[in-house]
Amino acid sequence: MFPKIGTILKSKIPVDDDTLDNAQTMSRSAGVRIGKALIDSGIASEEIVYESLAEQFQIQFIPRIENHIDMNIMRELPAELFKDGRCFPLGGNEHLLRIAISDPLDLEIVQQAELVSDLLIEIVLTTPSEMERTRLVLFKGDALFKQSAGKITREYEKQMQSDESLSLEEIRQRTESEPVVKLASLVFNEAVKLDASDIHIEPSEYDAVVRFRIDGMLRQYTEVSKWMFSPLTSRIKILADLDIAEKRVPQDGRIRYTFNGQNYDFRVSTLPTHFGEKTVIRILKHDKSLLDLKNLGVAPSQLDVLSEVIEKPQGMVFVTGPTGSGKSSTLFACLNRIRHKAINITTIENPIEYKLDGINQVQINEKAGVTFASALRSILRQDPDVILVGEIRDTETAQIAVQASQTGHLVFSTLHTNDAISA
């Protein structure tokens, strides 16, 4: 039977039964544990309380864990296990994994660690503030991401160098090897977690860099060796259903990706450069909440004006702004508002970003001759009430769109500009 924490505390600090009883009453009324009540009231320090807690549960207490963290295990196991700061690995052997936690009753994180490591778990206790401090140090910026990417790259290089007599077909098959798959997933997951709008994989003479566009700014996150760059690019092209043998012409494709139960649409574009194919991936989140105008962050006064404009029978509505500013989301929120009316809505897109019931959506296919201009001319013979042109890129499309807006059609479109005034 475990001793009471009050009894242990009385052996460490000068505290009487009345004080402990008052702390117990405070903890019950506040819905917290007695240890937190003692810390909040200044009766005992955090370190003393958690040292006593470790003694109560008969486990080791380590007040400072940063220098005990096993970075090899951090890189081997999924980062999601540690990113919330509920546990950190302190080492172990082929049978045992030691982890630091701050809550001895958090059996869920212990079970997760046991599941992903397939090892027996030994717990060590530290303070919540030490766990949070360690989390901030370990996950500051892109430190862990770079370490993981570097480890995966070295793993692949070792595989490649172990047999230099590989044929071209065998090298192509290694695009499906575990290190390549792991690195592609690592890049995708990290970009999604950081709310990046784009992923850039850019080759240079000796290596390649991976950059994420976050809040409109491109930020470099890691380097990829020449050994890994080619199979990584081929892996992405396979996922996007592109021709991995064709490296001389630009290609476009898309990837359906799921992370933490959330669906994403990755628009992939490759471009031949002097040092190899550059790959850019636009990340589109399938967030249905964005299809409501009220969730776009538009000021109430502007929302009233926009709501009035989109109800008009004819005219033209342009949504302008830089890349990743939310132009498409705004347009589809407008269409979602009016699509239940007794009207015919048709869109021309490249590619189709949001799929909405009750709307006729046309995918551009330039190889088959379906361009924005040709599709728009055909749609005008389909008795449309509302037309969305994904992007106006040439004079012919602009002329047809303007004529349509003056002949009884409501036309929506976008322009790439720095701001509304520049349009």
Side-chain angles (χ1 to χ4, degrees):
M1 184 175 178
F2 293 136
K4 291 184 177 180
I5 191 170
T7 304
I8 300 171
L9 280 169
K10 284 195 290 185
S11 68
K12 297 180 179 294
I13 58 173
V15 60
D16 55 32
D17 291 336
D18 289 340
T19 303
L20 290 174
D21 290 340
N22 290 335
Q24 183 72 52
T25 303
M26 288 170 52
S27 69
R28 287 173 180 168
S29 61
V32 298
R33 296 176 186 171
I34 186 172
K36 180 167 174 52
L38 289 167
I39 296 168
D40 292 344
S41 60
I43 297 172
S45 67
E46 183 185 52
E47 187 169 321
I48 288 292
V49 168
Y50 278 84
E51 184 181 356
S52 302
L53 199 60
E55 188 174 329
Q56 181 188 28
F57 283 88
Q58 300 174 8
I59 56 180
Q60 184 182 1
F61 175 74
I62 302 180
R64 300 289 178 268
I65 64 170
E66 183 182 346
N67 294 331
H68 298 275
I69 301 295
D70 191 318
M71 294 307 300
N72 288 328
I73 297 177
M74 284 283 293
R75 288 187 286 266
E76 287 289 342
L77 298 181
E80 287 73 20
L81 181 64
F82 312 113
K83 202 150 193 178
D84 291 336
R86 292 169 64 191
C87 77
F88 292 111
L90 303 184
N93 52 45
E94 63 270 22
H95 305 294
L96 182 75
L97 172 64
R98 297 177 74 234
I99 61 172
I101 62 175
S102 61
D103 183 356
L105 300 179
D106 189 357
L107 300 180
E108 181 185 7
I109 195 65
V110 175
Q111 290 173 344
Q112 288 181 18
E114 189 174 33
L115 183 66
V116 299
S117 66
D118 199 25
L119 298 171
L120 293 174
I121 302 299
E122 177 185 313
I123 62 173
V124 171
L125 198 67
T126 190
T127 62
S129 60
E130 176 64 10
M131 292 290 284
E132 177 62 14
R133 190 184 68 81
T134 303
R135 185 188 70 82
L136 292 175
V137 170
L138 291 176
F139 290 92
K140 181 180 179 181
D142 59 333
L144 194 64
F145 173 69
K146 284 185 175 180
Q147 291 169 359
S148 299
K151 180 180 182 299
I152 294 170
T153 300
R154 290 191 296 272
E155 182 181 341
Y156 182 77
E157 289 177 5
K158 193 178 295 183
Q159 286 186 9
M160 290 294 290
Q161 292 168 347
S162 63
D163 186 357
E164 297 181 357
S165 61
L166 293 170
S167 68
L168 180 61
E169 182 59 31
E170 288 171 327
I171 294 175
R172 189 173 297 162
Q173 288 174 358
R174 288 207 169 174
T175 297
E176 300 294 331
S177 70
E178 185 180 2
V180 180
V181 173
K182 284 166 64 177
L183 182 60
S185 297
L186 178 68
V187 171
F188 292 167
N189 293 347
E190 191 71 12
V192 167
K193 285 186 285 189
L194 293 172
D195 287 329
S197 61
D198 301 86
I199 302 169
H200 289 240
I201 303 174
E202 304 167 342
S204 60
E205 185 174 0
Y206 301 108
D207 57 16
V209 296
V210 177
R211 301 200 291 172
F212 297 154
R213 186 177 295 278
I214 302 172
D215 296 330
M217 300 294 292
L218 271 176
R219 305 177 186 179
Q220 181 170 327
Y221 268 78
T222 191
E223 299 83 27
V224 178
S225 72
K226 277 291 186 182
W227 283 98
M228 182 60 100
F229 166 70
S230 181
L232 176 62
T233 301
S234 296
R235 171 67 181 169
I236 294 171
K237 290 172 74 174
I238 288 172
L239 292 174
D241 199 24
L242 302 179
D243 184 357
I244 63 171
E246 181 56 79
K247 301 182 180 181
R248 298 167 298 174
V249 298
Q251 297 187 68
D252 297 304
R254 66 193 304 174
I255 301 171
R256 298 285 188 183
Y257 194 71
T258 302
F259 180 71
N260 284 346
Q262 174 69 52
N263 294 323
Y264 295 86
D265 193 10
F266 290 176
R267 297 194 324 202
V268 180
S269 173
T270 64
L271 179 71
T273 69
H274 182 64
F275 294 113
E277 287 183 289
K278 175 186 175 182
T279 303
V280 175
I281 303 172
R282 165 64 58 84
I283 301 174
L284 298 170
K285 183 179 180 181
H286 290 285
D287 190 349
K288 293 187 177 179
S289 66
L290 294 178
L291 294 178
D292 189 337
L293 284 173
K294 295 178 181 178
N295 295 333
L296 293 179
V298 180
S301 58
Q302 296 174 329
L303 183 60
D304 292 339
V305 173
L306 181 59
S307 299
E308 182 180 344
V309 168
I310 64 177
E311 295 287 346
K312 292 184 179 296
Q314 70 174 39
M316 179 171 278
V317 177
F318 274 110
V319 179
T320 68
T323 299
S325 60
K327 297 186 294 295
S328 297
S329 297
T330 302
L331 283 182
F332 276 93
C334 293
L335 293 187
N336 193 47
R337 172 71 68 90
I338 63 175
R339 69 188 173 101
H340 300 296
K341 297 170 62 178
I343 56 177
N344 177 15
I345 304 176
T346 305
T347 71
I348 313 168
E349 305 171 63
N350 186 28
I352 294 173
E353 297 184 14
Y354 296 91
K355 294 182 180 178
L356 295 178
D357 293 334
I359 293 180
N360 307 294
Q361 296 177 268
V362 178
Q363 167 74 51
I364 292 300
N365 186 344
E366 294 186 357
K367 291 182 179 179
V370 183
T371 63
F372 278 106
S374 65
L376 186 53
R377 279 195 300 268
S378 299
I379 286 171
L380 289 174
R381 294 192 288 269
Q382 293 281 318
D383 186 30
D385 296 293
V386 177
I387 303 170
L388 183 147
V389 183
E391 187 177 349
I392 294 180
R393 298 181 178 179
D394 55 78
T395 304
E396 183 182 8
T397 305
Q399 289 175 340
I400 300 172
V402 170
Q403 290 170 3
S405 69
Q406 295 174 338
T407 54
H409 305 92
L410 181 60
V411 179
F412 292 89
S413 192
T414 68
L415 286 175
H416 284 279
T417 63
N418 288 330
D419 49 45
I421 297 174
S422 300

